[in-house]
Amino acid sequence: MDRFGKYVKELFEWNEDMKKFLGSDKVDKNFALWEKLDNFTDLMESISTPLSDTELLNLQSEAETIHEEMEEYFNRKQELGVIWIAESVVPPGSHTLPDLPYPYNALEPYISEEIMKVHHDKHHYSYVEGLNKAELRMVEAREKSDFSLVKHWSRELAFHGSGHYLHTIFWENMGPRGEERPKRRLEKEIKSYFGSYEAFKKHFSEAAIQVEGSGWVLLVWSPRSRHLEIVQSEKHSGQALWDTIPILVLDVWEHAYYLQYKNNRAAYVENWWKIVNWSNVEMRFEKAVELKWNSF
């Protein structure tokens, strides 16, 4: 066998080994790496004659890309222990307040201990309670077939449910050892769609500063259009962009910063970047990109 044939054979065998590993690790077939490995297999099987220098470079580049993404998967698995979370169902009215993943004072000096205690223990807790109440009232309405207040409780469900879910993401999006910027695949996606990390950061910050009244700014992934986007949300659910998955969120309700920053929202936003937990954001992104819808 000539050197070219041996090289192609080794690439093919490596690709098949990676597929076997994902299979043994019980990785969902919708995971994006499966598609890349399958496409690479098709590419390898289509080779019947020696490639030109340009074609060989393209083949090597594709192999290196897959290799990098496999390394990312291994690193993430090592960091998190397990990427895939067991399913559990929360019965109506049974939501609970999640613990903070760090002490109340861990984000100082950028967010004070006092703010964290009030924000988490009082405000987030109130959204959990409101969500539980709304769900139970909906159950009661169905049991009695009385939907005279369905408009009210639907509004309460959206408001408190969104408040609970966004805050749960928010706490994990931050950490005491803030990271300067994202890495790996998320960094590439940000640069691809926004032009540069700096352009993304400026866009996100300005969107946060300019939220009208109380609300959020979110970096979301669209499984249908297959790209990132930045959106604002008034209160918790107004102006929502449906069919997207939040991966990075910033709370700009006054209770998130006023005790420390008063009405200087811009200073709060600027300092918030110093405590972004990009490892968590990257993990959310990796899970989000597994989901794919048809594009329209």
Side-chain angles (χ1 to χ4, degrees):
M1 182 181 294
D2 60 19
R3 291 180 60 188
F4 174 78
K6 183 178 179 182
Y7 173 71
V8 171
K9 182 175 183 293
E10 289 175 350
L11 275 182
F12 182 85
E13 290 175 348
W14 172 83
N15 192 65
E16 292 304 298
D17 286 343
M18 293 302 98
K19 290 165 71 173
K20 288 178 182 177
F21 172 79
L22 292 184
S24 66
D25 219 30
K26 298 181 179 179
V27 177
D28 192 285
K29 283 291 185 179
N30 288 324
F31 189 44
L33 261 175
W34 274 113
E35 182 179 354
K36 292 201 172 185
L37 290 170
D38 287 339
N39 289 342
F40 195 70
T41 297
D42 293 340
L43 176 62
M44 300 298 294
E45 290 177 340
S46 69
I47 297 174
S48 58
T49 58
L51 303 177
S52 67
D53 289 345
T54 299
E55 290 172 329
L56 186 57
L57 285 173
N58 289 338
L59 181 66
Q60 290 174 328
S61 176
E62 181 67 22
E64 288 172 1
T65 298
I66 295 175
H67 184 265
E68 288 176 2
E69 293 192 16
M70 287 299 299
E71 281 193 339
E72 290 174 14
Y73 172 81
F74 293 137
N75 291 336
R76 180 66 63 223
K77 185 178 174 69
Q78 185 175 12
E79 291 171 7
L80 300 178
V82 60
I83 294 179
W84 318 106
I85 299 172
E87 292 183 5
S88 60
V89 176
V90 179
S94 300
H95 297 276
T96 58
L97 179 68
D99 294 331
L100 285 177
Y102 36 72
Y104 290 108
N105 64 354
L107 304 183
E108 290 187 332
Y110 309 112
I111 300 181
S112 70
E113 179 179 359
E114 181 183 15
I115 284 179
M116 291 301 294
K117 284 184 175 179
V118 173
H119 197 172
H120 176 264
D121 295 1
K122 296 188 179 298
H123 290 282
H124 189 173
Y125 179 74
S126 71
Y127 300 133
V128 174
E129 291 289 281
L131 172 59
N132 286 334
K133 184 176 181 179
E135 286 186 344
L136 292 175
R137 291 295 181 272
M138 291 290 202
V139 170
E140 184 179 331
R142 290 191 292 271
E143 290 174 346
K144 296 181 178 179
S145 194
D146 178 4
F147 297 100
S148 57
L149 294 176
V150 69
K151 180 178 180 180
H152 168 74
W153 291 116
S154 294
R155 187 184 299 115
E156 290 290 291
L157 182 72
F159 177 81
H160 291 288
S162 296
H164 171 44
Y165 298 141
L166 287 176
H167 278 92
T168 300
I169 300 171
F170 182 55
W171 307 134
E172 295 180 348
N173 273 175
M174 300 183 292
R177 292 182 295 276
E179 299 153 310
E180 184 176 353
R181 61 176 61 209
K183 302 174 183 177
R184 307 184 183 91
R185 187 175 177 186
L186 177 58
E187 181 182 28
K188 294 178 182 177
E189 192 67 37
I190 285 175
K191 288 181 178 179
S192 173
Y193 190 69
F194 295 100
S196 68
Y197 173 75
E198 290 71 23
F200 152 74
K201 183 177 177 181
K202 178 68 173 176
H203 182 167
F204 191 97
S205 296
E206 287 299 321
I209 293 167
Q210 295 181 42
V211 169
E212 187 172 351
S214 299
W216 299 76
V217 62
L218 305 87
L219 176 66
V220 300
W221 173 256
S222 171
R224 195 172 300 282
S225 57
R226 307 297 297 168
H227 66 66
L228 298 165
E229 193 55 86
I230 294 171
V231 297
Q232 294 177 321
S233 176
E234 294 179 3
K235 295 185 177 179
H236 300 307
S237 53
Q239 294 182 307
L241 179 61
W242 297 109
D243 210 7
T244 61
I245 303 171
I247 62 173
L248 174 68
V249 303
L250 172 56
D251 188 349
V252 290
W253 281 65
E254 286 192 345
H255 62 237
Y257 63 88
Y258 192 83
L259 286 174
Q260 184 173 355
Y261 293 91
K262 301 302 184 275
N263 64 346
N264 193 349
R265 182 187 286 182
Y268 160 67
V269 172
E270 181 180 357
N271 281 331
W272 175 80
W273 288 105
K274 299 170 184 175
I275 51 174
V276 172
N277 179 9
W278 282 111
S279 294
N280 171 262
V281 183
E282 289 160 7
M283 182 271 289
R284 292 187 60 83
F285 173 70
E286 288 171 8
K287 291 293 292 180
V289 296
E290 294 170 33
L291 183 61
K292 297 181 181 178
W293 301 129
N294 290 331
S295 299
F296 294 101

